[in-house]
Amino acid sequence: MEVTNKRILLKDHVVGPAKEGDMVASTETVRLEVPVGSKGVLLKNLYLSCDPYLRTLMNRPLDGQEESGFPPFKPGSVIIGFGVAKVVDTGHPDFKVGDYVWGLTGWEEFTKISNPETLFKIKYTDVPLSYYTGLLGMTGMTAYAGFYEICSPKKGEFVYISAASGAVGQIVGQYAKLMGCYVVGSAGSNEKVNLLKTKFGFDDAFNYKEEHDLAAALKRHFPQGIDIYFENVGGAMLEAVLLNMRDHGRIAVCGMISQYNLEKPEGVHNLFCLVTKRIRMQGFAWFDHSHKYDEFVETTRQHIKEGKIRVRGRHCQRS
């Protein structure tokens, strides 16, 4: 059986903020079956997640840049991102028709995946399926791995999170509060700041757009300094944080969203603080810690059931 398959393609490499015209809708036909003898799966996509890191994959690769775990998109190709899907046909022994899964899929109605080993089968459906594009999926796992594995937190430590109302930051802050840390976040509007303090339980938060001196703002909120910084922004924010870190502090580098729309990334000052304060600064990717996924799901699902972790709605079902 053949059906139409609506798709979203990248029209060309993006310069500056992404615009609607940088993407194009396309329609093709797809057979609702995998080839005989294949170990692939055919998915019907139910939820798709639009995450900030996708913007970095739309850039033209720099000369000499090597591909990592995040290969850049090619013009004319379907956009790939995280989503929740239902198995329509399968040739793989670990998947059966009707299974729900999450993982990398296409921005399209149906996606054929030849190597489904990277897909995660959804074990629990007592929570909304959309949670697996966020709280129980990639962004939640990023928060879990970054905070517990990279930051090595201890009760009573001082934790700062930039872009704290985002999909990752809001979860990191709640993990930190459960650990017994003092937590402050920054965001770009007073509405988001209020959300951090009232819904997500941060000890304090501030609107970075209203601060003329970020270093002074951090000193005001952390007079004793910062033990852990969960980095989502980069640029001037990172420069200010370095001045306010405590000795032997830890910085988990999750993203640097201030740099994503720039043709040439900015340099960062105050890096010598890494030496004088003996700071450990480490970038990471969630899939390096995928062996922790079952532990993460069990722990976080229990927190959700007990009302200890709350989530801000951010996902829409494919129409």
Side-chain angles (χ1 to χ4, degrees), residues 186-248:
S186 60
S189 74
N190 291 330
E191 178 185 5
K192 292 177 181 179
V193 166
N194 183 61
L195 193 68
L196 293 174
K197 293 191 288 186
T198 59
K199 182 169 184 176
F200 299 131
F202 282 53
D203 292 291
D204 208 347
F206 65 93
N207 182 347
Y208 72 90
K209 293 181 180 179
E210 295 183 346
E211 301 291 344
H212 301 294
D213 186 334
L214 290 175
L218 291 171
K219 183 68 174 177
R220 186 172 72 246
H221 286 89
F222 294 98
Q224 300 179 69
I226 300 167
D227 291 299
I228 291 173
Y229 173 43
F230 204 92
E231 165 70 301
N232 292 306
V233 172
M237 183 63 77
L238 176 57
E239 293 179 355
V241 168
L242 287 169
L243 294 175
N244 284 276
M245 291 295 293
R246 301 180 78 182
D247 288 353
H248 305 290

Side-chain angles (χ1 to χ4, degrees), residues 123-318:
K123 183 177 179 181
Y124 301 109
T125 56
D126 58 345
V127 296
L129 285 174
S130 62
Y131 279 20
Y132 289 92
T133 56
L135 181 57
L136 293 177
M138 182 274 289
T139 52
M141 184 61 197
T142 298
Y144 190 87
F147 184 63
Y148 291 111
E149 298 293 302
I150 306 300
C151 295
S152 304
K154 303 178 185 66
K155 182 178 180 179
E157 289 194 308
F158 300 97
V159 177
Y160 172 54
I161 304 162
S162 56
S165 66
V168 175
Q170 61 181 258
I171 305 172
V172 174
Q174 293 177 85
Y175 285 148
K177 286 302 299 177
L178 289 170
M179 173 65 69
C181 298
Y182 177 80
V183 184
V184 176
S186 60
S189 74
N190 291 330
E191 178 185 5
K192 292 177 181 179
V193 166
N194 183 61
L195 193 68
L196 293 174
K197 293 191 288 186
T198 59
K199 182 169 184 176
F200 299 131
F202 282 53
D203 292 291
D204 208 347
F206 65 93
N207 182 347
Y208 72 90
K209 293 181 180 179
E210 295 183 346
E211 301 291 344
H212 301 294
D213 186 334
L214 290 175
L218 291 171
K219 183 68 174 177
R220 186 172 72 246
H221 286 89
F222 294 98
Q224 300 179 69
I226 300 167
D227 291 299
I228 291 173
Y229 173 43
F230 204 92
E231 165 70 301
N232 292 306
V233 172
M237 183 63 77
L238 176 57
E239 293 179 355
V241 168
L242 287 169
L243 294 175
N244 284 276
M245 291 295 293
R246 301 180 78 182
D247 288 353
H248 305 290
R250 287 86 71 203
I251 299 176
V253 184
C254 176
M256 293 189 173
I257 198 168
S258 71
Q259 307 299 298
Y260 295 171
N261 290 325
L262 303 180
E263 292 187 60
K264 184 177 181 180
E266 298 172 333
V268 177
H269 297 90
N270 304 327
L271 286 175
F272 197 62
C273 291
L274 296 173
V275 178
T276 59
K277 300 183 180 186
R278 288 86 77 203
I279 298 167
R280 176 165 57 84
M281 182 174 176
Q282 181 178 341
F284 71 99
W286 72 274
F287 48 76
D288 291 332
H289 305 273
S290 58
H291 61 285
K292 290 280 188 177
Y293 180 70
D294 287 341
E295 172 188 300
F296 151 70
V297 168
E298 294 290 346
T299 301
T300 304
R301 176 171 165 269
Q302 188 62 35
H303 288 329
I304 296 170
K305 291 175 67 176
E306 295 174 358
K308 294 179 179 178
I309 283 185
R310 304 178 71 184
V311 64
R312 180 186 182 190
R314 59 183 287 272
H315 305 290
C316 297
Q317 189 169 13
R318 180 197 58 76

Side-chain angles (χ1 to χ4, degrees), residues 12-31:
D12 201 354
H13 292 299
V14 177
V15 176
K19 306 177 294 298
E20 183 178 350
D22 293 321
M23 292 164 278
V24 60
S26 174
T27 301
E28 65 168 15
T29 59
V30 61
R31 293 186 63 83

